[in-house]
Amino acid sequence: MVKINEHYANIGSNYLFSEVARRVREYKAAHPSSNVISLGIGDVTREIAPVVIQAIHAATREMASETTVRGYPPEAGYDFLVDAILERDFRARGVQLSPAEIFVSDGAKSDTGNIGDILGADNLVAITDPAYPVYVDTNRMAGRQVELLPCLPDNDFCPPFPARPADVIYLCYPNNPTGTTLDRSQLKRWVDYAIAHRSLILFDAAYEAFISEPDVPHSIYEIEGARQVAIEFRSFSKTAGFTGLRCAYTVVPEELTATDSSGAAVSLNALWRRRQSTKFNGTAYIIQRAAAAIYTPEGQRQTREIIDYYMQNARLIKEPLERAGLAVRGGVNAPYLWVKTPGGLTSWQFFDRLLGEARVVGTPGSGFGAAGEGFFRFTAFGRRREVEEAVERIIKIL
Ligand code: PLP
């Protein structure tokens, strides 16, 4: 008789975005001529950069010839992409990594979830609250105990240390959903904590490309000692519009270890390589060529232009809302704005009010964790005209 994984009973239903979609559908059905604008989801709205499209075309042509066709890719990525990553994302920032420490993949969502495959079920896992839901759900699926670290105005959205020493700690900076960052000294305190408690930091840097302030680290490896305690996740999804193309990478330093039941140190790099070579068959050649194209000077220019466009959207949301009296975080080093709901409304009450009165959709903060209650997330991934119109409508109903 087949048995299910009972731990799935400990995760909520996939409620947030499906509930948002349901309420929007119902509203549109009742108001067919209404023009609803969404500042809800973190997905691209601009076309993909020309260098990326050209690289896809060129790589597709290679696939059309017997002499240049490619089959299974190397599981951890082609050298041309790994070398570009090492040079542009790390060496240029003074961080030395080796090719064996980079694992190219099809997404940071799957990597941040799958990393649990190499970690014991008896680890205590600390996760910021609110958070990208994958961290909590995948750990609950595996039956791990989770301690939430509330990030609130009281602590300036900087996570407190766990009450009990945590074995594994998820940090996502710049943060989804709050848009906040940890500066160098704040991140150093977490690296020191992990060294002292022999914990592992899982650092999600999916929004690294949106950093504009100099004191915000782009990589956790800019902090001394981090190589001994941290895995870092990067993604091309938001950096270069790859949400539909799918490419990301994970860094697992060679000196990073965890202990087995006899207390012996085991290389996490070796375990992750073993995991990936068993369960993953590599990222498509065409997509890796597309990703490599963004590291060319023209690719850097084109992707920067797109990021600047989104960050201008962020300013166009943040400044008028602040002038209208709302408390708004984020939007400076991240494409998300985290807004305190006015008048003490719950996140969902504010959602209904915005939809009903302003015909604008955002994401209720409570969907990212209990500490998100009373907050609301707007995304800067929008079209300029719609962003401006949405902000005008929001201000009118405040
Ligand atoms: N990490 C964070 C914090 C995210 O917000 C997202 C997407 O929204 C991801 C990872 C997913 O990245 P990918 O598209 O590479 O799977």
Side-chain angles (χ1 to χ4, degrees):
M1 198 163 50
V2 183
K3 313 281 187 314
I4 64 154
N5 176 350
E6 299 279 355
H7 298 307
Y8 276 59
N10 301 328
I11 57 169
S13 58
N14 202 355
Y15 171 75
L16 178 61
F17 289 100
S18 54
E19 179 62 16
V20 167
R22 189 187 67 76
R23 293 193 194 197
V24 173
R25 236 185 355 262
E26 274 181 12
Y27 179 84
K28 284 182 173 170
H31 308 83
S33 60
S34 68
N35 160 21
V36 174
I37 301 177
S38 175
L39 298 183
I41 59 165
D43 203 349
V44 297
T45 54
R46 291 280 309 268
E47 68 276 20
I48 291 161
V51 285
V52 172
I53 300 299
Q54 284 150 16
I56 290 172
H57 287 163
T60 308
R61 282 194 295 275
E62 286 183 65
M63 292 302 214
S65 157
E66 200 176 60
T67 54
T68 50
V69 67
R70 309 278 179 135
Y72 288 118
E75 284 112 358
Y78 282 104
D79 289 347
F80 62 79
L81 178 56
V82 171
D83 290 345
I85 288 168
L86 290 174
E87 181 56 41
R88 305 280 328 185
D89 285 349
F90 296 102
R91 222 166 284 143
R93 296 197 177 277
V95 175
Q96 307 297 330
L97 296 172
S98 77
E101 296 176 316
I102 306 292
F103 295 84
V104 174
S105 73
D106 62 356
K109 180 175 187 174
S110 33
D111 284 359
T112 51
N114 291 335
I115 198 72
D117 270 18
I118 64 168
L119 303 173
D122 51 354
N123 285 299
L124 174 64
V125 182
I127 302 176
T128 57
D129 178 13
Y132 180 51
V134 174
Y135 315 147
V136 170
D137 287 355
T138 56
N139 279 288
R140 294 222 164 111
M141 284 171 178
R144 287 191 199 94
Q145 272 191 59
V146 171
E147 178 173 336
L148 296 173
L149 313 175
C151 298
L152 294 161
D154 296 352
N155 52 29
D156 203 25
F157 298 96
C158 181
F161 290 130
R164 293 173 290 165
D167 304 304
V168 179
I169 301 149
Y170 282 79
L171 296 176
C172 169
Y173 290 97
N175 189 259
N176 176 18
T178 64
T180 57
T181 52
L182 293 185
D183 66 21
R184 225 162 278 279
S185 64
Q186 290 169 321
L187 188 55
K188 175 152 190 335
R189 281 202 286 280
W190 276 103
V191 169
D192 292 345
Y193 174 97
I195 293 171
H197 294 88
R198 302 175 67 197
S199 351
L200 171 68
I201 296 177
L202 298 174
F203 189 74
D204 187 342
Y207 295 94
E208 169 276 331
F210 295 83
I211 294 172
S212 65
E213 292 181 324
D215 198 33
V216 179
H218 288 248
S219 165
I220 195 167
Y221 305 116
E222 290 174 42
I223 309 296
E224 204 189 323
R227 287 182 55 95
Q228 302 162 46
V229 293
I231 288 175
E232 180 164 304
F233 303 94
R234 295 280 189 106
S235 172
F236 297 99
S237 284
K238 313 299 161 93
T239 308
F242 272 55
T243 52
L245 296 176
R246 314 302 307 143
C247 196
Y249 67 89
T250 289
V251 184
V252 189
E254 284 179 308
E255 62 257 56
L256 193 59
T257 60
T259 45
D260 68 13
S261 53
S262 74
V266 178
S267 159
L268 290 182
N269 179 290
L271 282 191
W272 184 242
R273 187 171 308 284
R274 190 72 184 83
R275 190 269 171 208
Q276 288 297 81
S277 57
T278 301
K279 290 195 179 178
F280 181 63
N281 234 349
T283 305
Y285 173 71
I286 294 170
I287 297 303
Q288 292 195 54
R289 279 289 179 204
I294 72 172
Y295 290 104
T296 59
E298 187 54 19
Q300 292 284 290
R301 201 192 57 71
Q302 291 177 9
T303 47
R304 174 61 22 215
E305 193 271 319
I306 295 172
I307 288 167
D308 289 347
Y309 176 93
Y310 290 133
M311 291 312 283
Q312 176 62 11
N313 283 348
R315 277 187 288 278
L316 291 169
I317 302 169
K318 186 180 173 79
E319 289 166 10
L321 292 188
E322 281 179 337
R323 278 198 299 275
L326 292 182
V328 186
R329 294 301 300 262
V332 177
N333 298 294
Y336 296 116
L337 298 111
W338 191 242
V339 177
K340 182 88 195 85
T341 56
L345 296 180
T346 67
S347 303
W348 278 109
Q349 284 168 339
F350 189 55
F351 175 92
D352 287 335
R353 183 148 177 241
L354 269 189
L355 178 59
E357 295 176 29
R359 302 175 322 283
V360 172
V361 177
T363 310
S366 54
F368 297 99
E373 181 57 276
F375 290 88
F376 206 74
R377 192 193 76 173
F378 290 114
T379 163
F381 293 106
R383 297 191 182 89
R384 182 63 46 81
R385 264 182 304 103
E386 290 181 355
V387 167
E388 287 170 337
E389 164 84 27
V391 171
E392 275 176 31
R393 291 190 199 170
I394 296 168
I395 285 172
K396 272 197 201 127
I397 66 144
L398 289 178

